[in-house]
Amino acid sequence: MPSTTITPQLIQQHGLSEDEYQKILTHLGREPNLTELGVFSVMWSEHCSYKSSRVHLKRFPTEGPQVVQGPGENAGAVDIGDGFAAVFKMESHNHPSFIEPFQGAATGVGGILRDIFTMGARPIALLNSLRFGELDSPQNTHLLKGVVSGISWYGNCIGVPTIGGEITFNDIYSKNPLVNVFCLGIVKKDRLLRGLAKGVGNQVLYIGAKTGRDGIHGATMASDSFDDASEKKRPNVQVGDPFLEKLLLEACLEFLEQDLLVGIQDMGAAGLTSSSCEMASRSGTGIELDVGKVPRREHNMTPYEILLSESQERMLLVAQPGKEQAVLAVCQKWGIDAAVVGKVTDDGMLRIREGDQIVAEIPADAIAEGAPRYERPSAPPQYQEVLQALNLDALPDLTDGTDALLQLLASPTIASKRWVYQQYDYMVGTNTVVCPGSDAAVVRIKGTGKALAMTTDGNSRYCLLNPYMGGSLAVAEAARNLVCSGGKPLGVTDCLNFGNPERPDIMWQFIMAVEGIADACRSFEVPVVSGNVSLYNETNGLSIYPTPIIGMVGVIEREEDITTQWFKESGDTILLVGENKEDLGGTEFLKVMHSREQGMPPWLDLEQEKSIQACILTLIKKGWIQSAHDCSEGGLLVTLAECCLTHPSAPLGATITLSQERLRLDALLFGESPSRIVISVKTKDLDSVRACIQDMGGKVPMSLLGQVTATDQIDVTVQKDQGQPPCQMVWPVKDLADQWYNSLPSQLKMKDSP
């Protein structure tokens, strides 16, 4: 084995602490060589080992009768009936997308797709959750355009529809944009593949793109904070090839059809190193690899470079002796490079050869599971009380909400994202039933009569002000969006984006958000089956807001139960299920109208939320609901405007009457109280709807708002207390549409019109 002088400087360059290096010496019983040091460096990085978060993630509920595969594999899976499972996961590609937005986002999509078809599932839907700085900065518009282009290019080329997502804008993300990508696929639940290296003597095969020097130490880069020189790290960003990935996808599904594999793993972060040691560790075996047999596209690559490369579109397979030739034949059919590069052993070691020479020899479990697990110090920041303090009496209340609604609809966070999703092919595959622009995306499961609803949600401002409540609210909103679409929530994947975990205030935010998510998931009986943690999202010591994103999937048993957010017919009655409270803390209204991000976020009553969601599902199944729309950012008036504006053929109007009931006017119109859903029903069904809600024992508040109209305006009358004259507001629908549809493209200096 070649000798290498390991110096303190070399250890530091590899992102390892002195204590971690001592732990390496304990595992090996000797000093590592350079190749082994590189292997430990990437596998013990935060990105791969979750060393700061793993102890806290155990709080999540991960089991349930619907769970087919929980955390620990390439993706999670839930039973959707008829012998099928939905396989899904969400991951981040934040750091690469800041350095090189197009390829960073594109390879993020490629990576999450491989996580799904590695499980034997055919991907049928992509979503994304994005965070950028405000668009008055050329750098932020550059990042947005690059990321959206990268997502659309990869998804469109491979032929998997991008059918939904969400975007928020806040200057805190200017130096640390967030790119979280979600993918869902379908598989027969008894045909699920896993990342295992069982069977001593079984053959290990490499398939896919040739290995190059791109992405070396990408996992380490993703586990580090940024500074002003971070944009120079472009060599750490991989380059994607969606056309090759399409071939790889079809080949992998053919392996499944022919029952050729024992196990399969995507070469994602840490490349060949992570795939080999993780497969061996899960199986209690070892793997021996000959890097001299690995297909390469560059000359004179060292074992260190081959093992740490993060070249895209590559997989590691394990097949029984005698079946490897069939695997190679499938790869030849699809024009994919493939080679037998090793075998499964019984000694638990990851042994790397270059021909006859051993260049690295490490216990597989030591690198896959042996990283230190930290319970880092945590404490709320000193500024937390200041953040939560909001004296509403010092803020003048509105006398009229006309201008405020126009300004909120123009806020990029609330405004239509049509400019974004028009770049995505969201109809390819012909499964998409509900296109981008409603509460949740919906795809049909052909041959079953069922559909799946899916969404991504998270409000970082709520999490900044109260991380526990912010985490719970994200789960509740995701479930509410599915329910508004007719879906029963089944499972959760998450992407937990936070700053530097070595700071006690950031660690406190993380722990509290995890507890909030865990408690809400337990209450809704929706297990967490997969996920991702992205830490060190900070630049020059400034961290992002705590941003846990929830991806949730629900089943719609009958296609006729699929529900959308827009009003359907003039004359329908508009109802509010839920109640308005004085919840102005952390709202988009405060940010847009008062430039404040303060206060306590809305308080979530989990029992009432569950009752309201159960009520809506019951009403949908009875066929009484025409439309349903979750009330969230921007509050009640924004929700009503969206119900009018998003009709796919022609916007409708509405006549609304509200009672102020001792609330501030701004809180009534733009407060963000949770557990509220605006529904429309046919007038003939109104009495039945009321009776059904009353039968729920008073657990579900409901109030009459008004009627859908064929007029080209929205009329809102607010009845005041104590005999004061009512507040009357009228907006031409065209004016609202101009603000809502054109805000984002106009800030990007492009043209778009409804």
Side-chain angles (χ1 to χ4, degrees), residues 697-715:
K699 295 180 181 178
V700 178
M702 187 271 288
S703 56
L704 182 66
L705 294 182
Q707 279 194 319
V708 181
T709 67
T711 64
D712 59 355
Q713 63 187 34
I714 299 175
D715 295 81

Side-chain angles (χ1 to χ4, degrees), residues 92-171:
S92 62
H93 233 222
N94 302 336
H95 285 42
S97 297
F98 174 67
I99 296 168
E100 213 303 302
F102 182 92
Q103 287 295 348
T107 52
V109 174
I112 198 66
L113 282 162
R114 290 194 301 279
D115 281 337
I116 301 308
F117 68 77
T118 293
M119 303 288 289
R122 179 174 290 279
I124 63 169
L126 290 162
L127 286 79
N128 51 73
S129 176
L130 311 176
R131 298 290 183 273
F132 298 100
E134 304 285 0
L135 295 176
D136 53 3
S137 158
Q139 169 71 357
N140 293 336
T141 59
H142 163 73
L143 289 171
L144 171 62
K145 292 176 183 178
V147 164
V148 170
S149 295
I151 290 171
S152 65
W153 174 71
Y154 208 102
N156 294 356
C157 288
I158 198 171
V160 178
T162 302
I163 61 173
E166 45 121 36
I167 312 178
T168 293
F169 298 87
N170 190 298
D171 268 339

Side-chain angles (χ1 to χ4, degrees), residues 32-360:
N33 61 35
L34 178 62
T35 300
E36 292 167 334
L37 186 71
V39 166
F40 274 106
S41 169
V42 292
M43 290 305 298
W44 284 15
S45 67
E46 190 73 59
H47 188 74
C48 290
S49 72
Y50 288 25
K51 57 190 175 185
S52 298
S53 61
R54 185 174 291 202
V55 295
H56 304 292
L57 299 179
K58 292 179 180 178
R59 292 175 166 87
F60 287 150
T62 58
E63 297 178 349
Q66 70 271 46
V67 176
V68 178
Q69 176 63 58
E73 265 292 344
N74 289 293
V78 295
D79 190 339
I80 59 173
D82 297 303
F84 289 101
V87 180
F88 57 95
K89 189 181 183 184
M90 183 160 51
E91 283 201 341
S92 62
H93 233 222
N94 302 336
H95 285 42
S97 297
F98 174 67
I99 296 168
E100 213 303 302
F102 182 92
Q103 287 295 348
T107 52
V109 174
I112 198 66
L113 282 162
R114 290 194 301 279
D115 281 337
I116 301 308
F117 68 77
T118 293
M119 303 288 289
R122 179 174 290 279
I124 63 169
L126 290 162
L127 286 79
N128 51 73
S129 176
L130 311 176
R131 298 290 183 273
F132 298 100
E134 304 285 0
L135 295 176
D136 53 3
S137 158
Q139 169 71 357
N140 293 336
T141 59
H142 163 73
L143 289 171
L144 171 62
K145 292 176 183 178
V147 164
V148 170
S149 295
I151 290 171
S152 65
W153 174 71
Y154 208 102
N156 294 356
C157 288
I158 198 171
V160 178
T162 302
I163 61 173
E166 45 121 36
I167 312 178
T168 293
F169 298 87
N170 190 298
D171 268 339
I172 201 70
Y173 300 104
S174 291
K175 290 288 187 179
N176 287 96
L178 302 183
V179 177
N180 294 179
V181 287
F182 167 105
C183 186
L184 178 141
I186 302 296
V187 66
K188 284 282 189 182
K189 68 177 183 178
D190 60 352
R191 302 300 305 277
L192 206 63
L193 289 173
R194 292 173 171 86
L196 300 174
K198 290 182 176 179
V200 174
N202 281 344
Q203 302 294 288
V204 178
L205 296 94
Y206 170 116
I207 72 168
K210 289 182 170 69
T211 294
R213 291 187 171 92
D214 48 328
I216 292 175
H217 274 294
T220 309
M221 178 270 289
S223 307
D224 196 9
S225 299
F226 276 173
D227 55 29
D228 290 332
S230 293
E231 290 184 73
K232 297 177 182 177
K233 295 182 178 180
R234 281 189 174 83
N236 293 123
V237 179
Q238 312 93 324
V239 176
D241 182 349
F243 302 105
L244 176 57
E245 179 133 328
K246 173 63 174 174
L247 301 177
L248 197 60
L249 186 162
E250 298 300 338
C252 287
L253 296 181
E254 191 164 331
F255 299 148
L256 176 66
E257 290 172 8
Q258 297 186 30
D259 194 24
L260 297 178
L261 302 182
V262 173
I264 179 172
Q265 177 103 346
D266 162 42
M267 290 190 215
L272 184 57
T273 293
S274 63
S275 55
S276 55
C277 72
E278 287 173 359
M279 292 177 80
S281 177
R282 288 191 195 110
S283 307
T285 59
I287 282 185
E288 183 174 292
L289 299 175
D290 185 348
V291 293
K293 296 179 179 178
V294 170
R296 283 158 283 178
R297 68 169 185 265
E298 297 184 45
H299 296 295
N300 302 318
M301 290 187 71
T302 65
Y304 180 102
E305 293 172 322
I306 294 168
L307 288 171
L308 271 59
S309 167
E310 294 186 9
S311 296
Q312 296 290 286
E313 292 87 37
R314 302 179 301 159
M315 317 285 279
L316 198 66
L317 319 179
V318 173
Q320 292 176 350
K323 290 189 175 182
E324 70 270 24
Q325 292 305 315
V327 171
L328 295 172
V330 171
C331 291
Q332 184 176 19
K333 166 188 169 182
W334 289 101
I336 298 169
D337 284 301
V340 177
V341 295
K343 63 183 179 180
V344 178
T345 63
D346 62 358
D347 59 6
M349 302 296 289
L350 176 64
R351 186 174 294 106
I352 308 300
R353 294 181 177 274
E354 189 174 33
D356 294 332
Q357 184 181 24
I358 296 176
V359 295

